[in-house]
Amino acid sequence: APLARFLSNCATDPAGFSINTIRTRETEDDSNFKATYNAKLGQFYSKITEKRIVDEDGIVGYDGLNTIKKHEKLATFFGGYLDGLSSIASNKNCYVYVKKNDGNYTKCYLCGKISMDQIVIKLTDDDFDNIDIGNKVIIFDTEHSIDSFEQNVKKSKKELFYYLGKSSRIENK
């Protein structure tokens, strides 16, 4: 009965739903951040945390709007709406830049809904072979603007990244 009452209250009053509302660092090692935000220099960098080849047709992201085919290549990088990145930028033709092993950067499109702590991007066959885990991801800096986000979602950088400087999971400089 208490669970049913709680769930019915959540259905009528979203404020009653309190899961995932506290921003804490439980096991993160402060000396090993996976992303860096520098408000003074207008920079936000992350790192590739995983890459994989899809083993069967399916969907990607929370909302299931994006389909993915067998053998397509995906990668994830650290940072999500828990860190202040608005999920409004999901599924809107937004892109980031990923450093390849030869030192050049390649444009990679977001693929699926931004989750709590990671973002999924689609890689080409060539990019998959030339990007390793740990490679730098530029969300934005002075040479790589966030135009794709601002234009495609019709929101300003400030609206898209409102809580970014307050994240305890991203190194703030």
Side-chain angles (χ1 to χ4, degrees):
L3 179 59
R5 196 173 329 117
F6 174 74
L7 292 174
S8 71
N9 287 342
C10 291
T12 58
D13 179 16
F17 190 70
S18 60
I19 295 174
N20 294 330
T21 58
I22 300 171
R23 293 169 187 256
T24 60
R25 180 178 30 241
E26 295 176 6
T27 59
E28 185 80 25
D29 176 4
D30 288 323
S31 65
N32 190 25
F33 287 102
K34 296 181 186 89
T36 303
Y37 172 65
N38 187 324
K40 290 179 184 172
L41 298 179
Q43 301 171 336
F44 181 28
Y45 302 131
S46 188
K47 296 177 186 175
I48 296 293
T49 57
E50 178 185 27
K51 65 180 202 173
R52 71 184 187 100
I53 300 172
V54 178
D55 54 7
E56 62 182 40
D57 292 356
I59 56 173
V60 64
Y62 284 144
D63 55 6
L65 293 177
N66 285 352
T67 58
I68 199 79
K69 302 256 187 238
K70 185 175 183 175
H71 302 298
E72 285 191 291
K73 279 87 173 165
L74 302 177
T76 59
F77 64 89
F78 183 79
Y81 67 77
L82 181 65
D83 305 306
L85 283 74
S86 173
S87 60
I88 200 165
S90 299
N91 306 324
K92 299 284 186 180
N93 209 25
C94 297
Y95 53 85
V96 295
Y97 297 92
V98 180
K99 188 173 189 176
K100 298 193 317 185
N101 295 336
D102 65 5
N104 293 315
Y105 285 86
T106 185
K107 185 189 295 187
C108 297
Y109 287 88
L110 274 59
C111 178
K113 188 122 178 154
I114 292 174
S115 74
M116 183 185 307
D117 58 1
Q118 67 181 353
I119 298 174
V120 180
I121 55 176
K122 191 178 281 191
L123 301 177
T124 65
D125 291 343
D126 181 56
D127 290 343
F128 188 82
D129 294 334
N130 292 297
I131 292 173
D132 292 328
I133 292 175
N135 282 24
K136 183 178 187 177
V137 177
I138 300 174
I139 294 89
F140 61 84
D141 65 10
T142 54
E143 294 180 28
H144 302 88
S145 76
I146 195 165
D147 289 346
S148 77
F149 287 81
E150 292 178 308
Q151 292 169 2
N152 289 310
V153 301
K154 310 230 181 321
K155 300 282 181 187
S156 69
K157 184 183 339 183
K158 187 173 183 176
E159 290 173 292
L160 287 168
F161 297 92
Y162 181 73
Y163 291 107
L164 188 57
K166 298 175 170 84
S167 173
S168 63
R169 297 166 2 105
I170 292 178
E171 182 179 29
N172 290 284
K173 291 186 175 184

